Amino acid sequence: MELGLYTFADVDPNAANKGAEAKRRVDELLAEIRLADEVGLDVFGLGEHHRPDYMASAPATILAAAAVQTKNIRLTSAVSVLSSDDPVRVFQQFATVDLLSNGRVEMMAGRGSFIESFPLFGYDLEQYDLLFAEKLQLLMEIRDNEIVSWEGETRAPIRGRGVYPRPLQDPLPLWIAIGGTPQSAARAGYLGLPLALAIIGGEPHRFAPMFDLYRQSAAKAGVDPTTLKTSINVHGFIHDTTQSAADIFYEPQAVVMNRIGRERGWGPTNRAHFDASRGPQGALFVGDPETVAAKIVAMHDIFKNDRFLLQMAIGPMPHKDIMRGIELFGTKVAPLVRKALTEKAAAA
């Protein structure tokens, strides 16, 4: 199983000098990606947003910088908001990063967890589903063919035009990311694309039927489900002790969840809810290396996932603590997980 990290590059939305705040965060972010590479993690993902609390509105640009500063780690968007972007440009940007990285980049497409990009780029929310469906179809067409002919309702047709550069990887890996919508899971299976499932609340085992539906849909479409990859993407934090991990992570995570909750009508979170969520059946992966490794292995027993991505850099998390968490993830957690899964496979 691949192990990695993802982030939205959170910044202080109330900073007086937003340029200086963005500069601070981008410097820290590149240091985090370099460390993740050095300690042997497999993947680093960066999510696209267009809000004052997140810096990464152009993930491909930052991943390009990371590509030339790293050696082994795979780099992916998490996600690219495909519905409000141009699939031609998305492909060109990630193909370019693929060349810079010597074949280590991926695209992760999704509809996004917020809608601010639609009015920003002039798209009609009434076409929310159609935009994603058509643009995903076009992106797959571009990925599979140098010369593209395509026609739909949401943009001008392309008639026999070449799309360049072509990436080093052929095909350029493309994942679908979802937040729990069954139709989206079924579509990914039907299209034969890898699926990433975000689980940031509730009891994770309740999401397992999503992967069952995904694999069933693939089989019905003539796609061998055993060839498809799956990922679970979660919130969590690793520190030297479980108590210190919880104490450091609670406040930043609560700041973010309460801010989003006010926008969406959720009730406020509290420490009791947080502590319950980091228990064995909860969605948070918070603790010392042994605790987090055991939970990752336990969830793998349920989901049989090929990838596990952890979001530690949430809200006002101190950079030094994120760096310590990355170090422990790579040097302590990853070896424990890999050993446990190897032993399980041998026993099976």
Side-chain angles (χ1 to χ4, degrees):
M1 180 169 59
E2 294 178 316
L3 300 169
L5 297 158
Y6 73 106
T7 182
F8 302 152
D10 300 53
V11 291
D12 179 1
N14 300 312
N17 187 331
K18 287 184 167 51
E21 174 68 358
K23 169 61 175 171
R24 175 196 65 81
R25 186 67 191 103
V26 77
D27 288 346
E28 292 179 353
L29 176 59
L30 288 172
E32 292 160 15
I33 300 173
R34 289 194 302 269
L35 180 59
D37 183 48
E38 291 166 6
V39 299
L41 292 175
D42 301 301
V43 186
F44 198 102
L46 186 58
E48 174 191 347
H49 291 86
H50 302 269
R51 297 164 49 94
D53 42 352
Y54 299 123
M55 183 271 294
S57 62
T61 305
I62 299 171
L63 294 177
V68 298
Q69 298 182 27
T70 54
K71 296 179 179 178
N72 300 306
I73 197 165
R74 296 193 67 77
L75 303 168
T76 182
S77 55
V79 301
S80 296
V81 185
L82 188 60
S83 307
S84 57
D85 209 336
D86 183 338
V88 175
R89 292 300 282 157
V90 171
F91 181 85
Q92 290 173 329
Q93 289 161 2
F94 280 88
T96 302
V97 182
D98 194 54
L99 300 175
L100 290 168
S101 68
N102 196 32
R104 290 184 286 119
V105 79
E106 300 176 356
M107 301 177 289
M108 188 183 295
R111 291 187 284 190
S113 55
F114 299 95
I115 60 171
E116 71 279 350
S117 63
F118 287 82
L120 182 64
F121 295 114
Y123 288 99
D124 185 356
L125 277 170
E126 293 294 323
Q127 292 187 307
Y128 185 80
D129 293 321
L130 179 62
L131 281 165
F132 184 74
E134 285 202 349
K135 293 192 176 193
L136 178 59
Q137 181 191 50
L138 176 54
L139 182 60
M140 293 179 67
E141 183 73 19
I142 296 167
R143 186 181 73 137
D144 296 339
N145 300 283
E146 176 183 343
I147 307 300
V148 176
S149 294
W150 181 90
E151 187 169 347
E153 297 180 36
T154 57
R155 59 152 290 161
I158 300 175
R159 306 194 191 282
R161 308 297 299 181
V163 178
Y164 306 101
R166 304 310 295 179
L168 186 61
Q169 297 178 90
D170 185 19
L172 189 64
L174 170 61
W175 289 65
I176 298 296
I178 68 170
T181 304
Q183 294 90 337
S184 296
R187 171 168 46 201
Y190 176 81
L191 295 174
L193 295 174
L195 178 66
L197 173 62
I199 305 174
I200 61 171
E203 297 178 329
H205 72 270
R206 296 182 180 274
F207 290 84
M210 289 290 178
F211 282 170
D212 295 336
L213 175 61
Y214 166 68
R215 295 179 178 116
Q216 291 165 9
S217 178
K220 288 180 180 178
V223 178
D224 181 357
T226 63
T227 66
L228 298 180
K229 290 185 176 182
T230 56
S231 175
I232 58 173
N233 301 356
V234 303
H235 287 182
F237 180 62
I238 306 155
H239 207 250
D240 298 283
T241 70
T242 293
Q243 189 63 50
S244 64
D247 290 344
I248 293 169
F249 192 63
Y250 167 66
E251 187 62 34
Q253 204 258 354
V255 166
V256 171
M257 298 308 289
N258 283 334
R259 182 170 63 235
I260 296 172
R262 287 191 295 271
E263 297 174 7
R264 301 186 178 184
W266 304 340
T269 189
N270 55 50
R271 183 59 187 257
H273 179 263
F274 172 85
D275 288 337
S277 295
R278 64 183 176 89
Q281 306 304 317
L284 292 178
F285 288 67
V286 177
D288 61 26
E290 292 75 17
T291 299
V292 173
K295 192 165 184 178
I296 293 172
V297 172
M299 290 301 157
H300 182 268
D301 290 342
I302 296 171
F303 289 98
K304 302 296 186 289
N305 48 304
D306 303 283
R307 178 178 287 182
F308 173 90
L309 297 186
L310 183 65
Q311 185 177 8
M312 291 197 291
I314 295 176
M317 274 289 289
H319 176 59
K320 65 178 180 62
D321 293 324
I322 296 170
M323 295 291 276
R324 180 58 176 161
I326 294 171
E327 179 186 2
L328 291 172
F329 194 9
T331 62
K332 300 292 185 183
V333 174
L336 290 170
V337 171
R338 290 166 182 153
K339 182 175 184 291
L341 295 184
T342 300
E343 291 173 349
K344 284 176 178 286

